[in-house]
Every structure is written in C-alpha cells, then in structure tokens.
Amino acid sequence: ALANGVRRVWVAKDGLASTPAVSALIREGGPVWKKVFGAFILTASHNPGGPNEDFGIKYNCENGGPAPEKLTDLIYKNTTSISEIKICDGAPDVDCAKLGETVVRSRDGSCQASVEVVDGVAAHLDLLETVFDLGAIKALLDRPDFSICFDAMHGVTGPYAKSLFVEKLGQPASCLLNAVPKDDFGGHHADPNLTYAVDLTKKMGVDRLGQPVGAAAGLPAFGAASDGDGDRNMVLGTQFFVTPSDSLAVLAAHADCIPFFAAQGGIKAVARSMPTSGAVDLVAKAKNLALFETPTGWKFFGNLMDSKALFGGVDYTPFLCGEESFGTGSDHVREKDGLWAVLAWLQILASHNAPESPLVTVEAIVKTHWATYGRNYYCRYDYEGVDKPGAVAMMDAMTAATASNTGRVVGGYTVATADVFGYTDPVDGSVSLNQGIRFLMADGSRVIFRLSGTAGSGATVRMYLEKYTPPSGKLHEVCANVIGDLVAVAFELSQIVKFTGREKPTVIT
C-alpha cells in the first residue's frame, strides 16, 4: 500500500475486526480528512479456516459495503496486466497489539505515511450503542428468569461478545462459548447453523433438526451464535430454533421496538434474497412497506440503502434486510451484522417483558407471529463438496427444461412457473442473470436450486423448500413432516441423486 502511494493505513488491533466492524470503521471512523476509502478483509468467513482450509479476500468500498461486480470485474482485469510489484523496502514493523500511530518517512524526507492500529471492537460497539437501548436490554438480562448463551465459534466475535455482554451488560463470562478467536476456528466449521453450532444447540436443548431434546429446566432463555467473521447469526429460545427467514419477518413486524428505527419514523423498506422465504413479504404487505427480492449477496441490499445518498434516487431508509443463510442487518452499516441481529432480538424481548411480569419467550413471540401472519414452513438442504461438473450439469439440465417443466404436474403439485431468476437493479440498472432456478407451484409452494458462491472446496448445491400455511391452518407441525412431499418433488425435478451421487444432504437447516 505504502509503495503505491497510500498515505494512511488502518490496521485493527491484534489483526482482528469483524466484517460489520470494518464497515463501521469505514463509515464512522475519524474526521472527514482521515476517512478511509476502502478496506481489505482477510477471512475464511463461515467456512473452515486454517492453513489447510479456506481463505478469502474481501474488498469493501467507501460506503462500507462489498465491492459491486463492476468494480471486482475491473480489479480482475487489472490483474491480467500486472507488470511489476512495488514494495516499500525498509518499512518498520508495526506492533498490532498496541493502539497507536507509526509514521513512515521516505529516506529523502520528501514524503511520509501513517500506519495506525485502531480499535475495531470499540468502533462497532460504539455504533451499536446508538442503535439500541442497552439499558432496557440489561434490565431484561438481569431478570432472574432470563439468561443467555452466546457462541462465538472461535471466530472473530469473541472479543466483541466479551466487551458487550460481560463488560458493558454485566453478564457472567460463563454466558460465552468458544470466545477465544483461533486461526483455524478450533478445528471446527464456524458456520452458525444447527449442524455446526453443536455446543450451542446442546446448551439450548435442540437437535440437528431444531427439535427439542431432553428437559427444558435450567436451559438458557436465549441463545445465539455468530460465524468466523461475525456477520452471520443464529437465534434460539429454550428448545426452540428460529429459522433465519422467520427471524427477518419477526424483526420487521417489531421494528418499532428498536430505537434506531423508531426515532426515524419506522422502517420504509424491507428486502430479502430470492431463496429466503416469503414470510417477510406478508409483514411488508400488512405494514405497507416497500419490498425487494434480490439475488443472494449483500451488495444488492447496499445499493438499495444508498439509493438516495449515492444515486440521487428514492430514499428507502430506514431499511431492514436479510438472507436465509443466517444473515440479517439494517442500514446502520453496509454488511450483515451478527451482533446487531442478536441485540435486535434482545431489544424486542425487552419491549415485551415489563419488570415483574411473566416472561414472554422467544418461542411465544414467534408463535404469536405465526398466528398473525401464517407460517412459511421452510427448509434448506446443503450438498457440500459436490463434484462440480456434476453439479453444473444438473443446473444446466434444469435450465434447459424450464419451458417443459412449466405446467407439469409432479407428486400432486402443479409447476405454475419454472424459470431462472434474474434481477435488474432498480437503483443503478445493472442486470444479474442466472441467480438460481425456481419452481413456483400453483399453491404458492416453492422449490429453488442454487450453486453457492461462498462455499469451500468443490461445489455446494443448495436446495430450498417452502410451503405456506395461513393463520387458520396447522401452525405447529414439524417442518420435515409438512414439506416431505415437496422434497420428493424436488428430487424428481432436479435428478440430484443421478447428477451428484448424493443420497442425503450434508446440512439441513
């Protein structure tokens, strides 16, 4: 950076900063003349980490959000014509364990640059303190009938959770699991779901399918986990799993409980990725909110958030958005934010629990939501490490058969529409094609297939299944029992066993 003329560089203390914290640093850090114009994030994200596992490089722009495709395409183009690499020879070592600034001067004294070690934890938590009422949340946490458990999964969020829950909110250190960051995530897969967050699910009394196991007595009232770089989240109540799609819908329905939204007159718009269930759509319709269905990827939400500020378009903020892949956030930053989602749930719980009143639980809030809006029974099957040629051949076959599958009756379901999802951005007009294959059934059910762009080695095929039940229907069934016939339909439409050789998924969420 210094050799190429960059005159100010920030490095997070200990080299650790969560993805949402980096966004906060870009947007909130320092006076205007010190503001950074972008950031590199080196991370395995939610994939297995370590010397023999995954490693990725993210670039975030001056708005704090992920680089759009037009920028990453230009970056790639430039890499094809690199003719030399410049190195700042003799630059001093910087102790990343100590906050402070190191000034680097050229030998002839003609120029200088600054390398500053900054506090990534404080930058993020200071922002979150302006978003939430931590006093009300502390009153909830201090109730004798309420306790929490947070699993950092040996990812970057551990120091944030310690500072927030232990030091700021006065909770015992025992409420934290796996809170020491490790470069290989302790040999585990730091993805907050029912398959990999096993320490948390055991603590909260649920199995790999989110069903209760054992006795409820003595279990925490609230559980949450975050991933390797701190931008994803999973939320649970006592023996109760909240799907990411339901979580987004509940947050939208109760957004006015969150000071950040309430002080600005409430949310104006919500957005979800295409594979995410339509639960939030029902809330948007009831509350007359603008609704957007985008491809998977936070950059699409960022454009909507910045519609007015950067593009002179419609102002959609305050803005709430989320993905079924355990990502939720708002326009306080331009990334999904695991800790934000956890605090949002705690804020909602705090607003429903007056002092000395009977405890209103996570499960009660979700079931009341279903009774109001109906329930979108929803499940995702992940086939990880699949042979890529086979996975691509499967997607190509479904793409070629969209016309013939439209109108087809399979297993009692009529395919009203089979298509390949494409998106024209309403803000900048950019077009994103081939964003997943959709089978939209006549009764409103959906089957969707995607190849993941954020998985580890090989290919990951994701299969999404959704079936809606109105408020008058059976709302408390086991999801696997409700969508079982839809699974058989998905297998028939995709021929996934034939193309991949996989009889069962790696992960069911």
Side-chain angles (χ1 to χ4, degrees):
L2 302 184
N4 283 278
V6 177
R7 292 294 171 255
R8 183 174 296 279
V9 177
W10 286 356
V11 181
K13 184 177 181 293
D14 299 319
L16 297 174
S18 70
T19 292
V22 170
S23 185
L25 278 165
I26 294 172
R27 296 177 61 80
E28 308 289 336
V32 172
W33 68 274
K34 274 191 171 184
K35 282 191 176 296
V36 295
F37 60 81
F40 291 98
I41 307 171
L42 312 180
T43 177
S45 186
H46 59 290
N47 300 314
N52 299 314
E53 296 290 352
D54 286 359
F55 179 78
I57 301 174
K58 297 180 181 179
Y59 183 73
N60 283 37
C61 299
E62 63 272 14
N63 72 333
E69 290 179 0
K70 60 185 177 183
L71 178 56
T72 54
D73 288 346
L74 286 172
I75 292 172
Y76 172 73
K77 182 179 179 181
N78 285 343
T79 66
T80 64
S81 60
I82 293 174
S83 59
E84 63 178 354
I85 298 175
K86 297 179 180 179
I87 299 293
C88 186
D89 186 41
D93 292 335
V94 175
D95 186 354
C96 290
K98 296 180 180 178
L99 297 175
E101 184 177 19
T102 299
V103 176
V104 182
R105 294 183 175 85
S106 62
R107 291 189 178 92
D108 63 5
S110 61
C111 62
Q112 68 179 43
S114 163
V115 179
E116 185 175 354
V117 179
V118 298
D119 191 339
V121 173
H124 190 206
L125 296 188
D126 286 351
L127 175 60
L128 292 179
E129 283 197 62
T130 71
V131 173
F132 299 103
D133 180 354
L134 293 191
I137 292 174
K138 178 172 171 50
L140 170 73
L141 298 179
D142 288 344
R143 285 178 61 125
D145 57 356
F146 194 93
S147 60
I148 64 167
C149 180
F150 181 85
D151 188 354
M153 304 189 76
H154 288 305
V156 74
T157 320
Y160 295 80
K162 180 181 178 182
S163 179
L164 174 62
F165 293 116
V166 178
E167 297 170 8
K168 290 183 181 290
L169 295 173
Q171 301 308 296
S174 59
C175 76
L176 305 180
L177 298 175
N178 305 314
V180 177
K182 296 183 178 181
D183 57 8
D184 64 349
F185 305 139
H188 299 294
H189 192 155
D191 193 357
N193 60 43
L194 294 170
T195 297
Y196 295 123
V198 291
D199 292 337
L200 179 65
T201 56
K202 181 179 180 181
K203 191 87 171 178
M204 298 303 298
V206 297
D207 63 15
R208 289 166 62 101
L209 296 178
Q211 296 303 303
V213 290
L219 299 181
F222 182 85
S226 190
D227 69 329
D229 65 331
D231 59 356
R232 296 173 189 242
N233 74 93
M234 178 171 67
V235 170
L236 303 101
T238 304
Q239 296 190 307
F240 188 84
F241 167 61
V242 183
T243 71
S245 295
D246 277 343
S247 180
L248 175 63
V250 170
L251 293 179
H254 298 274
D256 286 347
C257 297
I258 298 170
F260 178 81
F261 294 139
Q264 300 180 76
I267 56 175
K268 293 180 182 176
V270 294
R272 61 168 176 85
S273 63
M274 180 273 288
T276 303
S277 92
V280 75
D281 304 25
L282 302 169
V283 179
K285 182 178 180 180
K287 293 184 175 291
N288 196 30
L289 304 172
L291 170 69
F292 298 92
E293 180 184 40
T294 75
T296 298
W298 216 257
K299 56 184 176 253
F300 299 104
F301 296 149
N303 257 18
L304 293 164
M305 295 179 197
D306 289 326
S307 172
K308 181 179 180 181
L310 298 185
F311 298 94
V314 177
D315 185 3
Y316 296 118
T317 62
F319 187 87
L320 176 68
C321 51
E323 297 177 338
E324 50 68 39
S325 52
F326 295 88
T328 326
S330 80
D331 58 294
H332 70 292
V333 290
R334 295 299 183 269
E335 287 279 6
K336 48 185 174 281
D337 189 342
L339 274 184
W340 177 91
V342 173
L343 287 172
W345 263 96
L346 290 173
Q347 192 80 77
I348 291 169
L349 285 164
S351 71
H352 283 78
N353 283 284
E356 300 182 5
S357 63
L359 182 66
V360 178
T361 65
V362 170
E363 180 177 358
I365 287 175
V366 173
K367 287 185 173 179
T368 299
H369 182 90
W370 293 341
T372 304
Y373 296 98
R375 181 178 179 184
N376 294 69
Y377 285 96
Y378 183 87
C379 191
R380 186 180 93 185
Y381 282 28
D382 289 358
Y383 296 80
E384 298 177 349
V386 172
D387 178 62
K388 190 169 184 178
V392 171
M394 181 188 75
M395 298 295 286
D396 288 345
M398 284 190 286
T399 299
T402 52
S404 60
N405 275 326
T406 298
R408 180 181 172 188
V409 177
V410 184
Y413 288 86
T414 300
V415 181
T417 301
D419 66 9
V420 179
F421 182 65
Y423 178 73
T424 300
D425 194 302
V427 176
D428 65 9
S430 59
V431 177
S432 300
L433 302 176
N434 302 313
Q435 296 297 313
I437 296 170
R438 304 188 300 177
F439 297 97
L440 310 180
M441 307 302 175
D443 70 346
S445 300
R446 297 194 307 163
V447 174
I448 294 164
F449 289 88
R450 285 183 61 248
L451 285 183
S452 172
T454 60
S457 59
T460 292
V461 176
R462 302 201 197 280
M463 180 175 81
Y464 310 85
L465 308 146
E466 179 180 4
K467 191 171 185 178
Y468 175 69
T469 297
S472 59
K474 295 180 179 180
L475 302 174
H476 306 132
E477 304 300 303
V478 175
C479 181
N481 296 339
V482 175
I483 65 167
D485 56 348
L486 203 56
V487 173
V489 170
F491 285 179
E492 173 66 23
L493 290 167
S494 66
Q495 295 294 300
I496 193 168
V497 176
K498 169 187 169 183
F499 282 103
T500 69
R502 297 289 185 87
E503 297 282 347
K504 296 180 179 179
T506 313
V507 178
I508 298 177
T509 302

